[in-house]
Amino acid sequence: MIKKVGVVGAGTMGAGIAQVTAEAGYEVILIDLEDKFVNRGMENILKNWSKAIKKGTLTAKEVDQIKVRLTGTTNYDNLNDCQLVIEAVVEKMSIKKELFAKLDDICPAETLFASNTSALSITELAAATKRPNQVIGVHFFNPVPVMKLVELIPGAETTAETVTAMKEYCSAIGKEAIVVKESPGFIVNRLLIPYINEAAIIYDQGVASPAEIDQAMKLGANMPMGPLALADLIGIDVCLMIMEYFFDEMADSKYRPALAFKQKVRAGHLGRKTGKGFFDYN
Ligand code: CAA
């Protein structure tokens, strides 16, 4: 029975996961390498709760009760009594594997491990632990408090019990879970990231400006936001990383990354998080 959840990585996704998990009644440990990352994640969560109080979706009393369940820390030993640990750290296989091997030593044998990876192989991540049967992909979408879907991705050795436990967790936090066979990008990113990449290629070719490309998709296809604003929301570095992974994994030229992604990443213009991407946020 899951009661206490560890979330490793206090960035946009990790903070969102910690927020919705605490709101659902779980005890939550939000962890990152440095205090400044933990503090930023905690501040973002507190901002969302202040907005919720203003909107009337939560009362101040409810927020006080939820806050007590959420602890931010840099001490990994605090994860030693969690029944579930979800990692939302940087999208690098080597870093995630190292983390899982470390968690394997800290957490009890029954703890489930989940990865919020947006594309990487769960089987490969699970192989870094001595409990590959208890490792699963749990892919959330940005902004986590708003987006209803979670993709659940069992690896080669993930058991049905692990999948069932994660379905229960997703339902408890108010998300709709879809179980997806392991494959690059699962369902959503396999479709979404090549679409965003094509928008960046259109921009590279001078077909239209970023504002026009986005307006076209909003007015012509009823998208809630245009593909290039979405690239800025996701992070252009993340979009590039996913396209490069598709290109390598599927050895198919149709997944070649747009030059605009590469140029913007080289310039440090990663989207909203740096204040500039296809659009300027300053
Ligand atoms: N955190 C919490 N709540 C947020 C939020 C955030 N970061 N951003 C928006 N919201 C809430 C707002 O408070 C508002 O709530 P109420 O309706 O209760 O007032 C609601 O969402 C709508 O927001 P806005 O009115 O500000 O703006 P909007 O109607 O344009 O919606 C949006 C914003 C939800 C982001 C919408 O534009 C949208 O759905 N965009 C597409 C997002 C998307 O495709 N996400 C998936 C990205 S892919 C991914 O994440 C996976 C990956 O691995 C890369």
Side-chain angles (χ1 to χ4, degrees):
M1 176 93 176
I2 298 171
K3 287 194 170 146
K4 189 167 179 182
V5 179
V7 179
V8 185
T12 310
M13 298 306 285
I17 296 166
Q19 179 188 327
V20 296
T21 304
E23 285 171 8
Y26 294 95
E27 221 184 306
V28 180
I29 301 284
L30 178 61
I31 195 155
D32 211 316
L33 291 173
E34 291 182 38
D35 284 333
K36 64 178 181 197
F37 300 136
V38 176
N39 293 342
R40 196 179 51 197
M42 296 291 278
E43 275 163 24
N44 285 337
I45 296 173
L46 295 180
K47 259 190 233 156
N48 280 344
W49 284 337
S50 300
K51 275 191 214 157
I53 294 172
K54 276 193 198 122
K55 276 196 290 188
T57 46
L58 287 173
T59 64
K61 194 172 166 213
E62 281 168 334
V63 168
D64 283 344
Q65 287 163 347
I66 299 167
K67 265 189 209 163
V68 175
R69 294 196 286 269
L70 175 65
T71 309
T73 179
T74 53
N75 182 1
Y76 279 73
D77 289 336
N78 288 351
L79 297 172
N80 69 3
D81 56 353
C82 291
Q83 290 81 37
L84 166 66
V85 178
I86 303 173
E87 74 76 18
V89 303
V90 65
E91 279 288 81
K92 284 225 170 68
M93 182 59 91
S94 55
I95 291 175
K96 286 186 193 283
K97 278 178 160 176
E98 212 176 287
L99 172 65
F100 272 140
K102 179 170 160 179
L103 293 175
D104 215 18
D105 289 336
I106 295 169
C107 298
E110 57 278 8
T111 304
L112 304 180
F113 291 166
S115 171
N116 179 53
T117 178
S118 46
L120 303 177
S121 164
I122 303 302
T123 302
E124 190 174 346
L125 287 173
T129 74
K130 293 189 241 15
R131 61 184 89 189
N133 53 324
Q134 288 161 229
V135 180
I136 188 165
V138 54
H139 185 214
F140 287 83
F141 297 85
N142 188 5
V144 176
V146 180
M147 306 303 279
K148 279 276 161 217
L149 180 70
V150 171
E151 290 175 311
L152 288 181
I153 307 99
E157 302 203 37
T158 312
T159 56
E161 288 76 20
T162 302
V163 176
T164 303
M166 289 308 289
K167 277 186 182 166
E168 283 169 11
Y169 161 75
C170 290
S171 158
I173 61 168
K175 302 291 180 199
E176 177 91 20
I178 293 183
V179 180
V180 188
K181 205 170 136 191
E182 184 174 45
S183 59
F186 322 126
I187 297 174
V188 174
N189 280 346
R190 175 84 174 267
L191 294 169
L192 189 65
I193 304 298
Y195 151 71
I196 295 171
N197 190 58
E198 199 62 27
I201 291 173
I202 288 176
Y203 160 76
D204 277 336
Q205 292 172 346
V207 173
S209 70
E212 287 164 335
I213 292 168
D214 275 21
Q215 187 72 336
M217 291 312 291
K218 283 199 281 184
L219 299 184
N222 257 1
M223 294 297 187
M225 67 201 300
L228 299 177
L230 189 52
D232 285 350
L233 176 71
I234 293 170
I236 298 174
D237 53 334
V238 177
C239 294
L240 176 61
M241 187 286 303
I242 296 173
M243 283 309 291
E244 282 173 338
Y245 184 70
F246 286 173
F247 189 77
D248 290 344
E249 193 76 3
M250 297 190 268
D252 188 332
S253 64
K254 79 177 177 183
Y255 296 109
R256 77 201 178 288
L259 186 60
F261 282 175
K262 293 187 183 175
Q263 281 174 332
K264 290 195 185 295
V265 169
R266 284 172 192 147
H269 298 157
L270 308 182
R272 283 198 198 184
K273 61 187 165 191
T274 59
K276 197 170 177 188
F278 286 99
F279 299 97
D280 204 329
Y281 300 89
N282 291 311

